[in-house]
Amino acid sequence: MVPQEEPILATYEEPVANSNPNAHRLWIQEALNLQLAEPDERTLGQRLYDALRGGIQQDRFPPGSALPSSRQLASELGIGRNTVLGAIDRLIAEGFLVSRPGAGVFVADWQWEPRQRPAVQATPPIALSRRGERLLDFATAAPSAQYTAFAPGVPALDRFPRERWQRLLRRHQQRAPVDWFDYRNEGGVSTLREALCDYLRLSRSVRCQPEQILITQGAQQGFELIARLLADVRDNVWLEEPGYGGAQACFASAGLTLQPVAVDNEGLNVASLPAGTPPPKLIYVTPSHQYPCGATLPLSRRTALLGLARQHGAWIIEDDYDSEFRYTSAPIASLQGLMDNAPVIYVGTFSKVLYPGLRLGYLVLPPSLVATFQRVNARLHREGQYVAQAALADFIGEGHFSRHVARMRKCYRSRQTALRRALAPAVARGLELSSGHAGMHLVAYLASHEMETELVRRGQQAGLRLSPLSGYYLRAPGRPGLVLGYAGAAEAEIEHAGRWLNDAWLALA
């Protein structure tokens, strides 16, 4: 039954003298029949609720109008009375209807301005915060599925061992202990931290213990934690120029002052900064494979950077995003492992080596920061994905990870070769490409910004998304060029797209 209690709202109009329940019944019948005539996944109760609420909001039922009784509606609509009561009870709870003991159910005076109801209300302007406006500068539209040939940072999803991965997920889903369903605050599944520790010591010379590793939901979450915990608003963060837009956006959203530092053929060049540049609180660097230009930071610059960080009390953020994929040498040892107690936070991700949708990354933290980062991460983001973490631990521990990396290294070398082959005529005519000794993309350097803009425009018309190099710079205009991902597309697609770009460049050159 409809609850018979005092009205929830303070004031209601008395029923309108000429209120016509018959007209209401006819309108409800018409609206409900119209909805029933069309395929719909909604229940009958939901359709009745939508018809009643729509009539109220469209002023079909003015405030104070009496609704037909639930018995009358159920009988005339040919539906159960409980269905009618459920829809009416919901509208009473939401404030669209009011039940009056001994009188019935009436339309509430629910409008904010009941006597001023314009037919069309203008959408209020969107007012973003200054921080939101700033973030839009770093936010570009996500590429659609058709843009795979040149998409930077996209791995070979077609080569990922999905069946083996699914088996590991099912194994741990079936064995998941009950405490994995609770809130956790331990930095991640212990077996994954142990497997990662062994892998990083061997492949990157990272100095760490398992308890120093904090599992995150991707590298971006790691950057956010670092920015929030180790820097204040308007503190300076030095970043590579050009550099990774994800890190730029994260530090900008934290209110930090972004100080671009020029990159040359040897990576970050601190000596290029003018005298009087404010000292940094954070220094973001990709020393093993500079993004996007591909340089490797030499030992002399690494030691100088460590000394500078100690001098200013700054933290170095070492982003090692795709160093598994080197084609002329073994992976480069980490900056973090050069000295004991280095002022370095090592950031890694599985988005490039496995697949982006996994959303797992990690930080290797100095011992003094571990407890603080774990506590704040659990407060801001919560921990989770324990099944995926446990499956990844087995994927690493059983050797699948190393074998997959070896296969992808061979695959990406072959796909890069296909792209170079397609661009060979343009290269012979003067097109400059980056070395490609590592990673998942090449950079094609262009003669002018006009050529860059025109190639991007023509690419869109041809169904190809080209990433302009100038967009990776914090300060305009930046060097013109194109960042050409080759890892995420099959060789035939890479060759086809490469031939198109070759012809387009030759036509403009």
Side-chain angles (χ1 to χ4, degrees):
M1 296 291 292
V2 178
Q4 302 295 314
E5 53 187 48
E6 291 300 315
I8 299 174
L9 301 181
T11 60
Y12 295 99
E13 298 179 7
E14 288 301 317
V16 178
N18 61 357
S19 177
N20 187 349
N22 290 325
H24 296 170
R25 272 200 306 276
L26 291 174
W27 188 89
I28 297 168
Q29 179 79 58
E30 178 185 346
L32 190 61
N33 286 341
L34 183 62
Q35 294 187 45
L36 288 172
E38 299 178 358
D40 202 319
E41 295 181 354
R42 294 174 299 167
T43 65
L44 192 57
Q46 180 68 45
R47 296 187 190 193
L48 177 59
Y49 162 82
D50 289 340
L52 290 170
R53 177 168 169 168
I56 294 170
Q57 291 182 308
Q58 296 166 24
D59 277 344
R60 295 269 189 167
F61 310 152
S65 300
L67 253 66
S69 71
S70 59
R71 287 187 177 84
Q72 288 175 311
L73 282 176
S75 174
E76 297 183 12
L77 295 174
I79 59 179
R81 187 170 176 235
N82 285 340
T83 300
V84 176
L85 288 173
I88 290 175
D89 284 346
R90 184 174 172 185
L91 290 165
I92 290 173
E94 293 176 358
F96 289 101
L97 298 177
V98 59
S99 174
R100 296 179 181 172
V105 177
F106 299 85
V107 177
D109 194 2
W110 61 276
Q111 295 272 14
W112 290 317
E113 298 179 6
R115 298 296 175 256
Q116 300 175 12
R117 298 186 178 113
V120 178
Q121 295 185 356
T123 302
I126 298 174
L128 295 177
S129 65
R130 286 191 295 272
R131 180 172 54 194
E133 295 284 0
R134 181 79 171 106
L135 277 173
L136 285 179
D137 295 338
F138 301 98
T140 57
S144 64
Q146 65 177 347
Y147 299 127
T148 57
F150 292 140
V154 178
L157 302 179
D158 58 322
R159 299 292 186 92
F160 182 71
R162 286 171 291 179
E163 291 184 4
R164 179 175 293 114
W165 177 248
Q166 290 295 333
R167 285 198 297 270
L168 292 173
L169 286 175
R170 286 194 296 270
R171 175 198 300 176
H172 288 283
Q173 186 68 60
Q174 294 165 357
R175 301 176 182 177
V178 68
D179 58 357
W180 281 7
F181 297 91
D182 197 359
Y183 293 114
R184 309 286 289 174
N185 181 21
E186 56 194 43
V189 172
S190 59
T191 53
L192 177 56
R193 298 163 78 191
E194 291 165 4
L196 263 176
C197 184
D198 292 341
Y199 172 76
L200 292 172
R201 284 174 179 169
L202 180 63
S203 66
R204 296 291 187 284
S205 301
V206 172
R207 304 188 187 201
C208 68
Q209 298 297 323
E211 55 269 19
Q212 290 176 246
I213 297 176
L214 174 66
I215 305 300
T216 62
Q217 296 179 43
Q220 290 294 121
Q221 183 176 306
F223 299 150
E224 180 187 356
L225 286 169
I226 294 168
R228 288 180 180 273
L229 285 170
L230 299 180
D232 290 314
V233 173
R234 290 185 291 278
D235 277 347
N236 288 284
V237 53
W238 290 3
L239 303 103
E240 298 166 325
E241 177 84 320
Y244 175 47
Q248 296 168 354
C250 185
F251 299 136
S253 71
L256 306 186
T257 301
L258 309 185
Q259 174 62 58
V261 183
V263 166
D264 59 22
N265 291 333
E266 293 187 328
L268 186 78
N269 183 10
V270 174
S272 68
L273 288 171
T277 299
K281 197 66 172 287
L282 302 173
I283 304 172
Y284 172 83
V285 64
T286 52
S288 295
H289 183 229
Q290 198 280 326
Y291 188 83
C293 295
T296 298
L297 199 67
L299 181 61
S300 58
R301 289 195 182 181
R302 292 180 180 226
T303 54
L305 191 62
L306 288 167
L308 185 147
R310 287 198 182 280
Q311 175 187 345
H312 294 294
W315 289 99
I316 297 171
I317 304 168
E318 180 178 7
D319 185 0
D320 197 15
Y321 64 99
D322 73 351
S323 292
E324 286 85 0
F325 306 123
R326 296 192 72 85
Y327 310 120
T328 58
S329 67
I332 301 296
S334 68
L335 176 64
Q336 186 264 9
L338 278 181
M339 64 171 63
D340 288 328
N341 301 314
V344 178
I345 299 175
Y346 182 92
V347 183
T349 177
F350 294 100
S351 294
K352 307 296 187 294
V353 68
L354 297 181
Y355 63 94
L358 182 58
R359 303 310 307 140
L360 285 178
Y362 54 91
L363 302 178
V364 179
L365 298 160
S368 59
L369 293 178
V370 170
T372 298
F373 270 70
Q374 283 186 12
R375 181 176 173 182
V376 173
N377 181 57
R379 175 69 278 175
L380 288 181
H381 304 292
R382 305 298 189 188
E383 294 184 13
Q385 301 195 80
Y386 298 113
V387 169
Q389 289 188 37
L392 181 55
D394 283 357
F395 194 78
I396 296 172
E398 295 175 6
H400 307 305
F401 183 82
S402 296
R403 288 191 290 273
H404 179 65
V405 168
R407 287 193 298 268
M408 292 305 96
R409 191 180 295 124
K410 182 179 179 180
C411 170
Y412 295 161
R413 185 190 297 117
S414 179
R415 291 183 177 185
Q416 183 189 134
T417 300
L419 178 57
R420 287 185 179 277
R421 185 165 55 243
L423 294 175
V427 171
R429 290 278 301 276
L431 176 64
E432 180 186 354
L433 296 179
S434 59
S435 67
H437 62 268
M440 302 160 66
H441 68 268
L442 293 174
V443 177
Y445 297 101
L446 302 176
S448 68
H449 290 94
E450 291 75 18
M451 178 181 282
E452 180 189 71
T453 300
E454 181 61 18
L455 284 173
V456 170
R457 187 189 68 80
R458 293 188 183 189
Q460 289 176 339
Q461 292 178 342
L464 295 171
R465 185 185 182 93
L466 296 172
S467 300
L469 177 62
S470 62
Y472 291 77
Y473 286 78
L474 287 167
R475 292 179 177 171
R479 185 175 180 180
L482 299 171
V483 180
L484 305 173
Y486 53 76
E491 283 188 34
E493 185 180 355
I494 284 291
E495 288 197 41
H496 176 75
R499 286 194 296 269
W500 176 91
L501 179 58
N502 177 81
D503 295 343
W505 185 89
L506 288 172
L508 292 174

